[in-house]
Amino acid sequence: MINYTNEVQNMCCVAKGPNHGPAPLPEEGKWVKAYEIKDISGFTHGVGWCAPQQGACKLSLNVKEGIIEEALVETIGCSGMTHSAAMAAEILPGKTILEALNTDLVCDAINTAMRELFLQIVYGRSQSAFSDDGLSVGAGLEDLGKGLRSQVGTMYGTKVKGVRYLEMAEGYVTRLALDSDDQVIGYEFVSLGKMTDFIKKGDDPNTAYNKAIGTYGRFADAAKYIDPRKE
């Protein structure tokens, strides 16, 4: 029962003209007029940040007919956020995107990422908008690569001492290569994911460590090498 004010009740009726419904959205290779949550499908990413702006979350969702079928939660900058991410990864699959938007995911950054991602999907801005049938459930893992580890870059620099590469997408940086002018020309890294896999397959830690080492740039041409965490 809808209550109307006296002003509205005393108005005369005027016939409604055009009624074309919502504008069509690009969804998984189709143009869809979304009237209900179940009309929404798509795969996309969203980034959120917490109120103190000390941590960030990258959230990836694969939505089929309004239901979250897959969730990838990646966080950085806050230790507590990782525990919230563990909860979110368990909570989100199976919910509608409207339920998820109104679910307390504990961490401000994850909640903000959910909001940003919701806006993208319901406005048809998903990364699978023009892909026939969208992306298969499991596509979120492709962001992580073979080792199923988030790609992280960690760099530090000061005016007085210059730059230090600490972590690259390839892995944990062990040594920086400097030329005769003390400029960075490459680095050595150890892929922690590969090293762990080698250990799980039976290699001793030293063997696994050495097998997981790689270099980038003109590492072999360096005038000297430094440990970016010690020197």
Side-chain angles (χ1 to χ4, degrees):
M1 184 67 180
I2 299 176
N3 293 320
Y4 298 98
T5 64
N6 288 331
E7 289 81 2
V8 173
Q9 292 182 42
N10 292 328
M11 290 178 182
C12 63
C13 290
V14 176
K16 187 172 183 177
N19 183 15
H20 302 305
L25 302 175
E27 287 187 15
E28 302 193 339
K30 301 182 292 291
W31 290 96
V32 176
K33 287 191 173 185
Y35 291 91
E36 302 177 29
I37 289 296
K38 65 181 180 64
D39 296 327
I40 300 295
S41 296
F43 177 93
T44 197
H45 314 282
V47 175
W49 54 94
C50 63
Q53 301 190 36
Q54 67 183 21
C57 167
K58 175 189 171 189
L59 178 63
S60 303
L61 296 184
N62 201 345
V63 178
K64 303 291 185 184
E65 296 181 348
I67 303 294
I68 296 171
E69 297 288 346
E70 176 185 18
L72 172 65
V73 190
E74 300 174 83
T75 63
I76 190 169
C78 172
S79 57
M81 190 189 301
T82 61
H83 297 274
S84 299
M87 296 174 63
E90 186 172 359
I91 290 169
L92 288 172
K95 286 187 177 293
T96 70
I97 54 173
L98 184 59
E99 285 180 295
L101 184 67
N102 290 286
T103 295
D104 183 6
L105 300 174
V106 183
C107 167
D108 280 352
I110 303 175
N111 284 322
T112 303
M114 184 64 229
R115 179 194 71 196
E116 297 299 309
L117 197 148
F118 178 90
L119 292 174
Q120 292 179 38
I121 293 179
V122 298
Y123 283 125
R125 293 344 188 240
S126 71
Q127 295 198 0
S128 58
F130 298 103
S131 302
D132 288 342
D133 299 321
L135 299 180
S136 300
V137 175
L141 289 178
E142 294 178 5
D143 273 14
L144 301 179
K146 292 182 179 179
L148 298 185
R149 285 176 55 86
S150 296
Q151 296 187 59
V152 177
T154 307
M155 315 299 157
Y156 178 73
T158 60
K159 180 181 177 182
V160 66
K161 296 296 184 179
V163 71
R164 299 295 187 275
Y165 300 172
L166 302 174
E167 185 115 9
M168 290 285 193
E170 301 97 330
Y172 177 99
V173 177
T174 52
R175 288 190 293 168
L176 290 185
L178 306 182
D179 64 12
S180 57
D181 295 322
D182 286 338
Q183 296 184 10
V184 179
I185 59 171
Y187 53 88
E188 177 187 71
F189 62 87
V190 57
S191 173
L192 299 179
K194 288 182 180 179
M195 184 179 75
T196 304
D197 286 341
F198 290 141
I199 292 173
K200 287 193 293 185
K201 291 177 181 178
D203 286 347
D204 66 85
N206 284 333
T207 300
Y209 176 83
N210 289 323
K211 287 170 66 174
I213 287 177
T215 63
Y216 183 84
R218 295 186 290 118
F219 185 81
D221 300 332
K224 68 177 179 180
Y225 303 96
I226 65 168
D227 181 337
R229 291 170 174 80
K230 302 291 184 181
E231 297 174 79

